């Protein structure tokens, strides 16, 4: 199925929940209302027409101009019909869910795709998105006592961490960003 | 499909009070394995909750190598970022270069000349063999077999020499770049390569005799750490970890990128023991299957390289018209099949020369996340076998 067809089915099933669709040939995606994301995600996984059994990637994005944070999900459908031939990709799809930058909350999908467990932790760690219902939302790549969310566009690099200097005099006078 | 309950217990330490109930007094113990441990393949730390020899919980802690490579990508032009991709999965630098280059090319609509495409395939497959040789050798080391390691590094050295002759580096190549490969190969390169293939292909049966069918090795790895096909897919496992579970899925054939649709090759998957000379105790999805898929893949990579050498045309090796590359507004997600699984790059452009967001999805990151799920109830000595069979590279997990 093409992304347009998937988008049409989602619009038919969920109507208002699909707030936008960008059918760019390089990477088509739809924007889903965060409040209904869990419901839509379940549909994407369980509906036989969709059958997205693999969550490939979850990328957190910072939409600074709109004062929003977003999570981008990339799904694959790997057919599981047990043939001896090489399986071919049935279809893939991308979803973007945005949330408020000042109080970023998104529902977790880690109970639907366990792959989301670590990806959501990474998004929380790097971008500060809180995934409600996640079983263990802790920092994963940064130390537990790290301050701030490094991948946000307005992140300021700490000058010092446990006595380790975080920047040099040269960098202070010649900022790289 | 039923929902999955992830049984992760963040407060491991507090659970210790539960010990000493019932008639048989058992005591739970916390064992810290790593971050500096020979069997964790880098700086991986696993906190094990054990009851005697039994592992009740194995929680991986990652991040010791974290360099925020994604943030660096938001500050550098694509050309400048290529060397950083080398350092993610540092055993498969060529493949990482290729993945990022493909993502940028897809975003900016860059054409790659035919010769460049073939060079990419040849070096990607060569690097796959080198990477699998490390996996093969170090897995033997994990299981206490020292000799195969020396054999595999002998052959790997030849591959590194060839890569060095092409680009000057032995590990962090930055060779495949946006628009092709940054240099053409030296004279007689393909002769040397064919000579190597003639030498290398008969070595694979030798490896099998030495390690794959070794009785002790099979005892340590067969029927250990079994991952079912549906679990592998749900946890986002890719590469040999997924194929070891019997799922015939390889992006090179399942959703061909670059020019992989022009070659003939097979996709090895894990099969049950007792057939085709596979040891009888082997179960689909166990450590041995994941290991053996890699051995078989080396053969297939050799096949691809031979075909590519036959087909490679003369001409430019890189798109020479490419100057001052600007990334148009928009986003792409590009995945390729790395030795360890699917490496994906999500890149967002905003019209300038520097991408506004770069996200790397490393296969090792997802592959190791399943550790607690499959490690529950196994023996302590099986943990190195399971970790080794996933063949993780921490540079890629932590990025």
């Amino acid at each position: 199925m093409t992304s347009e067809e998937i988008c049409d089915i989602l619009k038919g099933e969920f109507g208002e929940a699909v707030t936008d669709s960008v059918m760019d040939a390089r990477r088509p995606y739809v924007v889903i209302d965060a409040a209904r994301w869990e419901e839509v995600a379940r549909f994407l996984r369980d509906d036989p027409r969709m059958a997205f059994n693999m969550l490939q990637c979850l990328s957190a994005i910072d939409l600074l101009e709109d004062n929003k944070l977003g999570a981008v999900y990339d799904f694959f459908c790997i057919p599981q019909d047990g043939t001896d031939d090489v399986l071919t990709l049935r279809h893939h799809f991308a979803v973007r869910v945005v949330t408020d930058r000042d109080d970023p909350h998104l529902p977790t999908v880690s109970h639907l795709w366990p792959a989301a467990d670590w990806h959501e932790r990474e998004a929380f760690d790097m971008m500060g998105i809180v995934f409600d219902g996640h079983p263990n939302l802790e920092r994963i790549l940064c130390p537990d006592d790290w301050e701030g969310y490094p991948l946000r566009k307005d992140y300021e690099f700490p000058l010092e961490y446990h006595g380790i200097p975080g920047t040099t005099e040269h960098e202070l006078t010649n900022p790289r960003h | 499909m039923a929902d999955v309950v992830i049984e992760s217990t963040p407060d491991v330490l507090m659970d210790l009070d539960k010990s000493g109930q019932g008639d048989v007094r058992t005591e739970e113990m916390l064992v810290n394995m790593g971050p500096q441990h020979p069997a964790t393949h880098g700086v991986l730390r696993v906190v094990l909750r054990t009851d005697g020899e039994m592992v009740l919980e194995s929680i991986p802690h990652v991040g010791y190598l974290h360099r925020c490579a994604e943030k660096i990508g938001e500050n550098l032009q694509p050309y400048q970022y290529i060397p950083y991709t080398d350092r993610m999965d540092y055993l498969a630098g060529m493949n990482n270069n290729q993945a990022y280059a493909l993502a940028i090319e897809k975003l900016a609509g860059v054409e790659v000349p035919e010769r460049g495409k073939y060079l990419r395939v040849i070096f990607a497959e060569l690097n796959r063999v080198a990477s699998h040789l490390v996996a093969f050798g170090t897995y033997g080391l994990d299981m206490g077999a020292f000799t195969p390691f020396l054999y595999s590094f002998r052959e790997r050295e030849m591959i590194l020499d060839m890569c060095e002759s092409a680009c000057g580096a032995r590990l962090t190549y930055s060779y495949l770049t946006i628009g092709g490969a940054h240099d053409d190969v030296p004279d007689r390169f393909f002769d040397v390569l064919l000579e190597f293939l003639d030498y290398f292909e008969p070595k694979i049966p030798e490896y099998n005799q030495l390690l794959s069918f070794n009785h002790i090795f099979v005892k340590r790895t067969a029927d250990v750490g079994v991952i079912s096909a549906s679990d592998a897919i749900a946890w986002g496992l890719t590469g040999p970890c997924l194929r070891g579970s019997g799922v015939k899925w390889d992006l090179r054939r399942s959703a061909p990128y670059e020019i992989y649709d022009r070659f003939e090759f097979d996709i090895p998957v894990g099969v049950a023991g007792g057939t085709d000379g596979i040891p009888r105790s082997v179960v689909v999805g166990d450590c041995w299957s994941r290991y053996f898929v890699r051995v078989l893949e080396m053969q297939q990579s050799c096949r691809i390289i031979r075909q590519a050498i036959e087909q490679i045309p003369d001409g430019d090796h890189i798109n020479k018209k490419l100057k001052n590359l600007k990334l148009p507004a928009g986003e792409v997600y590009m995945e390729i099949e790395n030795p360890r699984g699917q490496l994906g790059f999500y890149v967002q452009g905003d019209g300038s020369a520097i991408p506004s967001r770069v996200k790397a999805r490393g296969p090792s990151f997802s592959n190791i996340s399943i550790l607690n799920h499959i490690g529950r109830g196994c023996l302590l000595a099986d943990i190195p076998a399971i970790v080794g069979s996933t063949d993780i590279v921490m540079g890629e997990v932590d990025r």
Side-chain angles (χ1 to χ4, degrees), chain A residues 76-135:
Chain A
F76 273 25
C77 172
I78 298 182
Q80 273 182 292
D81 40 15
T83 58
D84 282 345
D85 292 337
V86 178
L87 306 171
T88 46
L89 178 66
R90 219 173 100 193
H91 46 233
H92 57 103
F93 195 55
V95 173
R96 177 187 282 198
V97 189
V98 290
T99 174
D100 203 28
R101 205 162 185 280
D102 303 318
D103 185 26
H105 281 272
L106 288 178
T108 182
V109 292
S110 58
H111 54 297
L112 301 173
W113 295 277
D117 181 0
W118 277 30
H119 281 293
E120 286 178 355
R121 279 179 67 187
E122 190 188 332
F124 165 72
D125 189 358
M126 294 286 127
M127 207 65 98
I129 301 173
V130 178
F131 290 90
D132 297 322
H134 189 285

Side-chain angles (χ1 to χ4, degrees), chain A residues 36-67:
Chain A
R36 298 187 65 190
W37 168 227
E38 205 270 339
E39 201 185 322
V40 178
R42 190 176 287 277
F43 178 80
L44 284 175
R45 187 190 70 163
D46 291 343
D47 189 85
R49 287 168 297 173
M50 304 287 155
F52 286 105
N53 46 9
M54 190 181 251
L55 170 68
Q56 270 311 94
C57 187
L58 193 169
S59 327
I61 50 174
D62 189 355
L63 308 160
L64 189 61
E65 297 93 55
D66 310 334
N67 202 32

Side-chain angles (χ1 to χ4, degrees), chain A residues 26-27 42 45 54 56-57 60 84 87 89 96 111 115 117 122 126 140 150-153 177, chain B residues 1 3-4 62 70-71 74-75 107 234 237 248 254 329 331 333 335 342 356-357 359 361 399:
Chain A
R26 289 171 300 182
R27 184 174 181 277
R42 190 176 287 277
R45 187 190 70 163
M54 190 181 251
Q56 270 311 94
C57 187
D84 282 345
L87 306 171
L89 178 66
R96 177 187 282 198
H111 54 297
D117 181 0
E122 190 188 332
M126 294 286 127
I140 185 165
L151 280 184
R152 286 199 185 182
K153 291 288 180 196
H177 308 291
Chain B
M1 220 148 84
D3 284 4
V4 187
V62 301
E70 293 173 8
K71 188 81 171 177
E74 293 170 14
N75 289 291
L107 179 63
L237 268 59
K248 222 170 187 168
S254 304
E331 55 186 60
Y333 180 67
E335 272 201 356
Q342 284 159 226
S356 60
R357 175 82 169 96
K359 154 94 190 175
R361 180 250 188 236
R399 295 180 305 272

